[in-house]
Amino acid sequence: MNKKKYYPLFGLMAFIILFQLFSSFSGKEFLLIQLTMCAYYSMVIIALCTLMGYAGQISLGHAAFFAIGGYTTAVLTTLNLIPDKDNFFISLFNSLGFLSLRVNPYGIEILHFSPWIALVVAVVITYVISFIIGIPILKLKGHYLAMATLGFGTIIYRVLLGGKIFGEADGISDIPEFNIFNLLKINGDNADRIENYYAAWFIVVISMLLLINLIHSRVGRALRSLHGNEHAANSIGVNPARYKLFVFTLSAVMAAVGGVFMTHFSGSIGPGEAGVLKSVRYVAIVAVGGMANIWGALIMGIILNYLSLRGYLGSYDEAIFGVILVLIMLFTPDGIFKAGNFGSIKNFIFSKIFKKA
Amino acid sequence: MSYEQLLQYVFSGITNGSIYAITGIGFNIIYNTTGIINFAQGEFLMLGGMTSITFSRYFPLPIAVALAVIVTAIVGALIDFLVIRNLKKQSILFMIIVTIGLSILLQEAALHIWDEKVRSLPFFTGDEISSINIFGAYISPQVLWVVLICSIIVAVLTVFFKYTATGRSMRACSSNVIAARLCGINSKNMITLSFTLSAAIGALAGAVVSPITQTQYDCGTSLAIKGFAVAILGGLGNSIGAVAGGIVIGLLESLSISILPLAYKDAVSISILLLILFVKPSGLFGKKEISALKDF
């Protein structure tokens, strides 16, 4: 069996650990916060990479799935059920352990759904939405597909922006922590940031493992054949509609899981997470990483999101993503990790050195 | 709903509809030549609006608008010269990504050249409170300007694409680039021309709608989505269809306000877009035989 495909995974884990050690020893643990956020955004990026790079289906609405996940958990864990405490369903939920009670900083008791339930509901909702929207949308191709997914993303954005329950333009804040068996708390506390950092990257590593296996499996080959030529794939027994729907729902759910944990980590969420520019940013990162290159997408996702979250890009934040998109498409449409690129750079440097020598 | 109220809704629907139609037409020109959708079309409108507002400080209005159209047309030509022409992979996926990148770039450039303030051109005739009474409902004279310019553009374009040699060569490039080249058409120049033309029309549209919708650096995206919805509804490439589609969407949108909250206005029109894409991607007026040959 070929184990080579898992080697980069060890590289990733080594990087995660080294970065943590480096930041702890140099007393810059605050750097981990942005890297934790990067991890959650990476979920969307690797999910989108599978959909776009391997199956060849563009989605300009992937931020919407991230936001659906985030908002589902935000609504469920901040909705106060105390007034309806005696309702039959609520008391049933309570006795089943679906609810949890907390006291907010103002001393008011809040009875809300537990984050576990919220996670499950978020996954189910995202799955159902992506399934329902996926059936008609994935029949479309090219710019029709791009526009339809963009339209879907815009609708979600508008609904989040206009909905009372979603906090309108302010979004939802004061979201409780996600307590995992009392071992680990997904929250924004400074004391817990190393645990949070590892938790986030654990989720990413598991997802990468799943996706690598998927890509190298029969399903993965079927997906790539769809990208190449749908009719040819169909003629050798690959059902395009089924496989496209499968990868679409899978990547939507992965994005939503990222959204759920990100929301608990940052403690708040706003409608901007579903915005068109966010979706475009994810597409840009996948394109830079080289479409059908899940590692390239992940690496560029970490670098670009990190720079952007640290604020190094300043007021040119969006502009840089635009420039990247145009330059990559112009000069190396297969991404900057294309095999030939580093070779030619190396040759270029060597030729300079030898000329001087 | 009283008769006057209904009429008022209808007029506001027509107002929005003609704005969307004039945006949708710009998509059609590039689609007619290249078969691609230019996701930066909305930014041409924004640029047209912004530059004409700046020029209107120094020049009388007609000259300012004309200068804005020229400047934006040059930007359109440059986009093709610098980017589209040099693309290594001309597949639809890459075209979509590159035009999205351009749209972000133009937006951010506008943000840095101007600022994030909302501006608008002065009304072409009268001012914001002047209105014309038609059958008991009120309508701003600027709407008549939009409708007038929209109809002139549609008429000129229809004649241009149907009866002139250049227009026909442009359409030939869309159906089959290689065949068009074999007939001696310089397809690259035709694409440059189509970008120039659609930028110019976008700028004119952006200037004429500016007093009503107002112009801001990021106003392009939402206009472009509506414009695209309208272009799809009327059948891509069909300018008269775009106008009809624009009025249909405008009317549905303004009638939806009487039922749903205003915040969902955009969601309504985009839902219509999705519905059309799912049910009849060739558009309301697309022919079955033609759409059977196309890949949606």
Side-chain angles (χ1 to χ4, degrees):
Chain A
M1 221 185 113
N2 186 8
K3 290 263 192 294
K4 220 177 160 182
K5 63 191 177 201
Y6 299 120
Y7 289 170
L9 219 46
F10 296 116
L12 174 66
M13 288 192 254
F15 167 75
I16 296 164
I17 295 167
L18 283 177
F19 194 91
Q20 188 265 317
L21 293 176
F22 161 76
S23 64
S24 292
F25 282 123
S26 60
K28 290 183 178 167
E29 260 174 34
F30 57 86
L31 293 174
L32 294 180
I33 294 173
Q34 280 84 18
L35 218 60
T36 312
M37 291 166 91
C38 280
Y40 294 132
Y41 284 126
S42 300
M43 292 289 286
V44 193
I45 290 158
I46 55 178
L48 184 64
C49 179
T50 319
L51 177 67
M52 225 169 91
Y54 292 93
Q57 310 298 313
I58 193 171
S59 168
L60 289 175
H62 244 57
F65 292 120
F66 185 84
I68 289 174
Y71 266 98
T72 308
T73 190
V75 168
L76 288 180
T77 58
T78 54
L79 200 62
N80 196 351
L81 300 172
I82 291 272
D84 307 311
K85 205 166 54 176
D86 303 323
N87 182 308
F88 171 68
F89 289 105
I90 302 297
S91 44
L92 181 70
F93 285 153
N94 204 357
S95 52
L96 284 172
F98 285 5
L99 307 181
S100 55
L101 190 70
R102 73 186 155 105
V103 181
N104 79 354
Y106 307 107
I108 301 166
E109 278 195 328
I110 298 177
L111 186 68
H112 59 82
F113 283 94
S114 98
W116 283 106
I117 299 304
L119 174 65
V120 173
V121 172
V123 167
V124 170
I125 286 183
T126 314
Y127 180 76
V128 169
I129 290 180
S130 63
F131 190 84
I132 293 172
I133 203 88
I135 292 173
I137 265 190
L138 294 168
K139 283 184 189 153
L140 303 167
K141 289 193 192 76
H143 31 246
Y144 291 88
L145 178 64
M147 219 23 152
T149 49
L150 181 65
F152 166 72
T154 315
I155 291 176
I156 297 291
Y157 173 68
R158 285 285 157 193
V159 169
L160 294 178
L161 193 64
K164 277 252 156 46
I165 191 169
F166 303 117
E168 297 177 346
D170 296 331
I172 299 176
S173 54
D174 195 20
I175 295 159
E177 63 186 18
F178 193 157
N179 197 330
I180 303 176
F181 306 127
N182 280 327
L183 293 171
L184 190 68
K185 297 184 191 102
I186 305 287
N187 59 15
D189 266 6
N190 277 347
D192 299 333
R193 57 191 170 197
I194 294 179
E195 290 85 36
N196 266 293
Y197 171 77
Y198 279 111
W201 284 105
F202 177 73
I203 297 170
V204 174
V205 167
I206 295 294
S207 313
M208 282 301 282
L209 191 67
L210 283 175
L211 289 181
I212 291 170
N213 282 335
L214 179 82
I215 289 161
H216 289 90
S217 70
R218 196 174 151 271
V219 177
R221 287 190 293 278
L223 292 178
R224 265 176 287 169
S225 74
L226 279 180
H227 193 183
N229 186 334
E230 214 173 301
H231 294 298
N234 202 358
S235 72
I236 51 168
V238 174
N239 183 344
R242 231 188 84 207
Y243 277 100
K244 280 200 263 182
L245 193 60
F246 164 72
V247 73
F248 187 71
T249 49
L250 175 81
S251 81
V253 167
M254 280 185 76
V257 169
V260 168
F261 285 106
M262 176 72 172
T263 308
H264 284 290
F265 176 66
S266 64
S268 62
I269 188 167
E273 288 296 342
V276 171
L277 277 174
K278 278 272 179 188
S279 290
V280 168
R281 174 177 290 214
Y282 298 136
V283 171
I285 290 170
V286 171
V288 178
M291 294 291 187
N293 182 351
I294 197 166
W295 284 107
L298 181 67
I299 293 169
M300 289 321 293
I302 296 171
I303 296 175
L304 289 175
N305 269 326
Y306 188 73
L307 292 179
S308 158
L309 288 168
R310 289 286 306 157
Y312 288 133
L313 310 184
S315 64
Y316 295 99
D317 201 20
E318 302 297 348
I320 283 172
F321 280 89
V323 172
I324 288 171
L325 271 186
V326 174
L327 289 183
I328 288 288
M329 288 300 119
L330 268 182
F331 297 112
T332 107
D334 292 316
I336 58 172
F337 295 108
K338 201 182 73 175
N341 275 349
F342 289 110
S344 54
I345 293 171
K346 212 161 66 187
N347 288 343
F348 178 74
I349 294 169
F350 271 114
S351 65
K352 289 279 175 197
I353 293 170
F354 285 118
K355 256 181 201 164
K356 275 181 189 167
Chain B
M1 207 189 302
S2 73
Y3 164 75
E4 272 88 14
Q5 222 180 339
L6 182 69
L7 203 65
Q8 195 64 56
Y9 275 126
V10 169
F11 277 143
S12 96
I14 291 175
T15 309
N16 287 329
S18 51
I19 292 169
Y20 302 154
I22 211 168
T23 319
I25 293 166
F27 280 109
N28 283 338
I29 298 167
I30 293 181
Y31 181 81
N32 265 343
T33 322
T34 61
I36 63 167
I37 293 295
N38 174 21
F39 279 75
Q41 185 64 36
E43 273 58 48
F44 289 151
L45 267 90
M46 179 271 295
L47 272 185
M50 285 297 210
T51 41
S52 55
I53 290 164
T54 305
F55 284 131
S56 69
R57 268 190 244 148
Y58 310 105
F59 303 101
L61 197 64
I63 298 173
V65 173
L67 283 174
V69 167
I70 293 169
V71 168
T72 315
I74 292 170
V75 171
L78 279 179
I79 281 178
D80 180 64
F81 255 123
L82 297 177
V83 181
I84 307 290
R85 224 171 238 243
N86 302 316
L87 276 186
K88 284 184 184 167
K89 283 197 179 176
Q90 299 259 351
S91 80
I92 289 179
L93 186 63
F94 288 99
M95 287 290 205
I96 293 170
I97 293 177
V98 86
T99 51
I100 289 174
L102 286 169
S103 106
I104 298 177
L105 266 185
L106 289 177
Q107 236 178 69
E108 292 298 308
L111 177 62
H112 285 275
I113 294 172
W114 292 279
D115 47 32
E116 70 290 321
K117 271 191 215 126
V118 179
R119 297 140 198 270
S120 68
L121 267 184
F123 279 70
F124 288 15
T125 42
D127 52 36
E128 53 265 45
I129 46 163
S130 62
S131 59
I132 300 162
N133 186 342
I134 303 173
F135 306 123
Y138 291 91
I139 195 165
S140 157
Q142 190 65 26
V143 175
L144 300 181
W145 275 105
V146 175
V147 173
L148 177 73
I149 289 181
C150 187
S151 10
I152 292 173
I153 291 176
V154 170
V156 171
L157 279 184
T158 310
V159 171
F160 174 73
F161 276 119
K162 276 213 167 132
Y163 301 108
T164 67
T166 324
R168 284 175 172 182
S169 336
M170 281 168 93
R171 280 198 299 150
C173 291
S174 164
S175 348
N176 191 332
V177 182
I178 298 169
R181 277 193 206 136
L182 286 175
C183 297
I185 296 168
N186 186 336
S187 65
K188 294 212 155 170
N189 286 352
M190 286 303 153
I191 293 172
T192 312
L193 182 63
S194 75
F195 268 87
T196 317
L197 200 60
S198 80
I201 285 175
L204 185 59
V208 74
V209 304
S210 170
I212 308 172
T213 64
Q214 299 180 313
T215 314
Q216 201 185 357
Y217 78 98
D218 62 352
C219 72
T221 320
S222 62
L223 273 176
I225 293 177
K226 300 287 181 59
F228 185 77
V230 160
I232 292 267
L233 194 60
L236 267 181
N238 181 349
S239 292
I240 298 172
V243 173
I247 289 167
V248 169
I249 285 197
L251 283 179
L252 286 174
E253 230 183 56
S254 74
L255 291 176
S256 83
I257 297 174
S258 58
I259 309 164
L260 285 168
L262 183 66
Y264 297 117
K265 195 179 90 172
D266 283 1
V268 168
S269 55
I270 295 163
S271 307
I272 298 167
L273 164 71
L274 289 184
L275 214 63
I276 292 292
L277 281 173
F278 299 157
V279 180
K280 204 168 179 296
S282 54
L284 288 181
F285 311 104
K287 287 200 182 77
K288 230 184 187 167
E289 296 80 38
I290 298 174
S291 65
L293 294 171
K294 274 194 198 163
D295 234 6
F296 290 105

